[in-house]
Amino acid sequence: MWIAPARYYEETRHTLRRLQLDPYVDLFRGEHLGFAATAEAVGRWWDLAGVAKQHEEFLDVHGPVLRAWEARGTTPAEDAYRDYLLALDSWRRLPYADPGLPAELLPADWPGGRSAAVFSGLHRRLRDPGAGYVRPDAV
């Protein structure tokens, strides 16, 4: 069983169909009817403090890297490859750890949006130049 926020329904449905797995899966939408408020209960369902810590660690390491790249005029392929690979390796676990809850169910200072913005910025700036380092004919 996999439980995810309803906003992933279309993407999940599309992926299951594309992979021809839809005959083996049933999708449901549910409503929390428990005794505690949903915003309170999600703290029991997910380790939000642990996920927030992962986001903060990503920001601590890669936020300065993005700021440094934003100050640079050029994007050397080897440097881009190195920094993008390090960011990608750090980022790849976060989407699986973070349940992607709506903002109203998250703590007010939730760092997920900030870390996503840093990764997106690094991705936009470094991915293609970095690919040119490993495959010069691809650029």
Side-chain angles (χ1 to χ4, degrees), residues 4-123:
R7 67 184 174 101
Y8 292 125
Y9 168 71
E10 286 299 330
E11 179 182 348
T12 302
R13 189 175 143 279
H14 171 76
T15 301
L16 289 169
R17 281 211 170 132
R18 184 175 51 83
L19 298 173
Q20 299 178 345
L21 294 173
D22 53 311
Y24 307 102
V25 176
D26 290 308
L27 300 173
F28 297 87
R29 285 195 180 163
E31 183 179 351
H32 177 238
L33 301 173
F35 296 100
T38 304
E40 180 185 323
V42 296
R44 291 192 323 265
W45 301 336
W46 287 282
D47 178 11
L48 294 179
V51 176
K53 182 179 179 196
Q54 290 178 51
H55 281 295
E56 293 291 353
E57 289 169 349
F58 181 87
L59 287 165
D60 289 346
V61 172
H62 299 286
V65 174
L66 176 60
R67 288 190 293 280
W69 277 103
E70 290 171 340
R72 289 177 80 162
T74 62
T75 310
E78 184 175 356
D79 295 347
Y81 175 76
R82 179 197 63 234
D83 288 347
Y84 183 64
L85 187 62
L86 291 171
L88 184 61
D89 186 55
S90 294
W91 177 257
R92 66 187 168 89
R93 291 176 289 280
L94 275 167
Y96 296 102
D98 190 322
L101 296 170
E104 62 269 12
L105 297 178
L106 294 168
D109 59 345
W110 186 250
R114 293 190 320 271
S115 68
V118 166
F119 178 74
S120 292
L122 289 168
H123 177 79

